[in-house]
C-alpha cells in the first residue's frame, strides 16, 4: 500500500510466486510490463485447440454441460465418490480417448460417455441459453466427430511416431510443428487432419546450427570413472560424449578414439574421465551458420562440434548432421 500511495506500481512478488506454483482452474496471472500492471484470468479447464474452430467447439461443449446438467449434479458428491473422479482424471490423462471411466456407478468408454451422456446434456444446455440451433449443432458436431475419429493428442502421437521412423527426433519435431501451423491455418478441425508420413528432407529454413543440432544428449561428469564412461560409449555405440563439470558447464569431450586408447591401456590405477578427455575444445553457438561449422570441422579434422550457449551445453552436431548441407 505504501508503494501505491507513492504513485508507483507494486510488483506483488508473493502473489506472482503463489499463482506460478499453484495452478487453480481459474488462475489470476498478474505482472507489470512497461510500468503498467496487467491482470488476466486464466481459464484452465478448456483444452487447447489446436484450431480456432476446435477451441470454440470445446468452449461450447463445456458451457453446454454446465448449463444443461441435471439438478442432481449440482452437488456431484452425492452422485460420485471422489475416488472415482480422481481415478477418471488420472486414466484420462494417461490414455485419453482409449480410457474406460466410472460414470454413475458403471464403467463406460470415453467415446460412449461423450456420445451417449455428455453431448445430449450439452445440446440441452446451449438450447436453454437460446444459442442458435445451427450454431450449436455445428460446434457440437465437431466434438462428436472427434470422439468417433481422432483427437489432437492422437494426431500428434501417431504423426510423431511415424516421423521418427524416417528422420531424427529434432527433424521430426520441426516437421510436426510446421504441419501443426499449416493445418491450423487451413481451418480444418483436428478430426479431419491426416497423420503425417513425410519422407526425410532437408529443412529449407535450416541455415544455422540450432536448426539441425541434436538436443537429446548423453553426457558424463569429469569426475566419473573412465572405465564406466567408455563402457557406456561402447554399449550404446556413441562416438562423441560431452563432459561437464559440477556446475553443468562444458569442460571436455570424449571421443571414440579416447575410448579405444583407454581400453587398450593395461593400468590398475583408477582413472577418471578428466584424465583422458580432450580439454581444448572447438565449439559453436546455436546462431552459428552451418557453412561455418562445416569449415571448422574440415579445418580441424574433427567429427563433431559441441553447441554451447553461455558456457552451457545445449546440443551437438556431427558429420552426419552436416553432410546434407555440404555442397563444397
Amino acid at each position: 500500500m505504501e508503494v501505491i500511495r507513492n504513485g508507483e506500481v507494486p510488483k506483488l512478488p508473493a502473489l506472482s510466486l503463489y499463482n506460478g506454483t499453484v495452478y487453480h482452474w481459474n488462475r489470476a496471472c498478474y505482472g507489470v510490463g512497461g510500468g503498467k500492471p496487467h491482470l488476466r484470468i486464466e481459464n484452465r479447464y478448456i483444452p487447447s485447440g489446436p484450431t480456432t474452430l476446435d477451441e470454440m467447439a470445446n468452449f461450447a461443449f463445456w458451457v453446454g454441460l454446465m448449463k444443461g446438467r441435471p439438478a442432481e449434479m449440482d452437488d456431484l458428491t452425492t452422485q460420485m465418490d471422489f475416488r472415482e473422479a480422481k481415478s477418471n482424471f488420472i486414466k484420462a490423462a494417461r490414455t485419453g480417448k482409449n480410457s474406460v471411466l466410472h460414470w454413475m456407478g458403471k464403467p463406460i468408454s470415453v467415446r460412449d460417455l461423450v456420445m451417449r451422456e455428455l453431448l445430449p446434456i450439452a445440446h440441452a444446455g446451449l438450447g436453454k441459453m437460446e444459442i442458435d440451433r445451427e450454431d450449436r449443432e455445428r460446434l457440437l458436431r465437431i466434438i462428436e466427430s472427434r470422439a468417433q475419429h481422432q483427437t489432437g493428442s492422437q494426431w500428434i502421437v501417431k504423426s510423431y511416431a511415424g516421423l521418427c521412423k524416417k528422420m531424427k527426433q529434432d527433424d521430426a519435431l520441426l516437421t510436426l510443428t510446421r504441419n501443426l501451423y499449416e493445418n491450423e491455418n487451413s481451418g480444418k478441425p483436428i478430426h479431419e487432419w491426416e497423420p503425417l508420413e513425410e519422407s526425410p528432407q532437408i529443412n529449407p529454413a535450416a541455415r544455422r546450427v540450432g536448426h539441425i543440432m541434436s538436443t537429446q544428449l548423453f553426457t558424463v561428469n569429469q569426475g566419473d570413472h573412465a572405465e564406466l564412461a567408455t563402457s557406456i560409449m561402447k554399449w550404446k555405440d556413441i562416438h562423441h560424449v560431452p563432459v561437464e563439470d559440477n556446475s553443468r558447464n562444458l569442460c571436455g569431450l570424449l571421443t571414440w578414439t579416447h575410448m579405444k586408447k583407454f581400453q587398450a591401456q593395461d593400468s590398475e590405477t583408477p582413472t577418471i574421465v578428466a584424465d583422458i578427455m580432450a580439454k581444448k575444445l572447438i565449439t559453436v553457438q546455436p546462431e552459428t551458420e552451418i557453412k561455418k561449422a562445416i569449415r571448422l570441422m574440415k579445418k580441424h579434422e574433427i567429427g563433431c562440434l559441441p553447441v554451447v550457449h553461455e558456457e552451457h551445453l545445449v546440443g551437438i552436431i556431427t558429420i552426419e548432421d552436416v553432410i546434407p548441407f555440404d555442397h563444397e
Side-chain angles (χ1 to χ4, degrees):
M1 295 307 297
E2 183 178 349
V3 174
I4 293 175
R5 284 192 291 270
N6 290 335
E8 300 173 356
V9 178
K11 293 185 177 180
L12 305 182
L15 175 67
S16 297
L17 175 63
Y18 177 76
N19 283 321
T21 53
V22 179
Y23 289 77
H24 299 286
W25 291 114
N26 291 296
R27 183 166 66 129
C29 297
Y30 172 83
V32 180
K36 294 183 179 181
H38 299 270
L39 175 67
R40 77 174 189 273
I41 305 299
E42 190 176 58
N43 181 312
R44 301 189 63 253
Y45 40 79
I46 305 297
S48 59
T51 69
T52 302
L53 187 56
D54 280 296
E55 184 72 359
M56 291 303 299
N58 294 340
F59 185 66
F61 187 40
W62 169 258
V63 172
L65 287 172
M66 293 300 98
K67 292 295 185 179
R69 68 184 188 276
E72 59 268 23
M73 290 187 181
D74 287 347
D75 184 1
L76 200 58
T77 59
T78 64
Q79 305 296 313
M80 179 182 291
D81 188 276
F82 176 78
R83 288 170 295 185
E84 289 184 350
K86 179 181 178 181
S87 175
N88 286 345
F89 188 94
I90 293 173
K91 284 190 287 187
R94 287 176 174 169
T95 53
K97 206 177 68 176
N98 296 323
S99 307
V100 175
L101 309 178
H102 288 281
W103 179 254
M104 301 307 163
K106 297 179 181 180
I108 187 171
S109 69
V110 168
R111 180 183 181 279
D112 288 343
L113 178 61
V114 171
M115 299 288 291
R116 298 178 186 176
E117 304 286 343
L118 302 184
L119 277 173
I121 294 175
H123 270 290
L126 294 178
K128 288 181 181 179
M129 298 182 65
E130 300 182 355
I131 301 299
D132 184 82
R133 171 180 284 275
E134 184 178 345
D135 284 338
R136 66 176 186 257
E137 289 183 350
R138 176 174 60 90
L139 294 174
L140 293 183
R141 193 178 299 119
I142 292 173
I143 302 298
E144 180 180 351
S145 298
R146 200 186 299 161
Q148 292 177 320
H149 301 291
Q150 71 175 357
T151 64
S153 297
Q154 288 176 313
W155 180 86
I156 288 175
V157 170
K158 186 174 182 179
S159 297
Y160 178 67
L163 292 173
C164 282
K165 293 178 181 178
K166 302 178 181 179
M167 58 181 68
K168 291 174 51 180
Q169 183 184 53
D170 292 344
D171 291 331
L173 290 171
L174 283 170
T175 302
L176 187 67
T177 303
R178 184 181 71 246
N179 278 272
L180 269 168
Y181 174 75
E182 292 174 351
N183 285 342
E184 195 279 335
N185 284 334
S186 73
K188 292 183 178 180
I190 185 66
H191 67 269
E192 295 181 7
W193 294 10
E194 293 293 333
L196 300 180
E197 296 180 355
E198 296 190 9
S199 300
Q201 58 181 335
I202 298 176
N203 179 6
R207 293 291 181 268
R208 303 185 186 280
V209 168
H211 294 145
I212 65 169
M213 68 182 184
S214 296
T215 56
Q216 299 296 315
L217 304 175
F218 174 78
T219 64
V220 295
N221 184 274
Q222 62 180 353
D224 290 341
H225 287 287
E227 184 175 359
L228 175 61
T230 54
S231 295
I232 292 176
M233 290 177 66
K234 187 175 181 180
W235 297 336
K236 292 184 173 289
D237 194 26
I238 302 174
H239 288 225
H240 308 91
V241 177
V243 184
E244 297 177 321
D245 58 23
N246 292 333
S247 299
R248 302 303 300 271
N249 294 324
L250 180 69
C251 63
L253 184 71
L254 276 183
T255 69
W256 201 252
T257 302
H258 294 108
M259 182 200 70
K260 289 184 175 180
K261 286 183 179 179
F262 172 73
Q263 292 189 333
Q265 296 175 358
D266 187 18
S267 175
E268 297 182 357
T269 304
T271 305
I272 60 174
V273 169
D275 296 330
I276 64 171
M277 69 182 186
K279 299 178 181 178
K280 294 182 179 180
L281 302 180
I282 299 171
T283 63
V284 291
Q285 297 179 330
E287 298 78 18
T288 303
E289 291 190 356
I290 295 175
K291 290 183 178 179
K292 180 179 179 180
I294 293 173
R295 290 196 296 269
L296 286 172
M297 296 173 80
K298 288 182 176 180
K299 177 181 178 180
H300 299 279
E301 298 182 348
I302 52 180
C304 79
L305 285 170
V307 185
V308 297
H309 176 68
E310 296 180 353
E311 298 185 4
H312 292 286
L313 180 71
V314 294
I316 193 170
I317 60 171
T318 67
I319 289 178
E320 293 183 358
D321 298 320
V322 302
I323 285 177
F325 301 90
D326 187 9
H327 305 299
E328 297 179 4

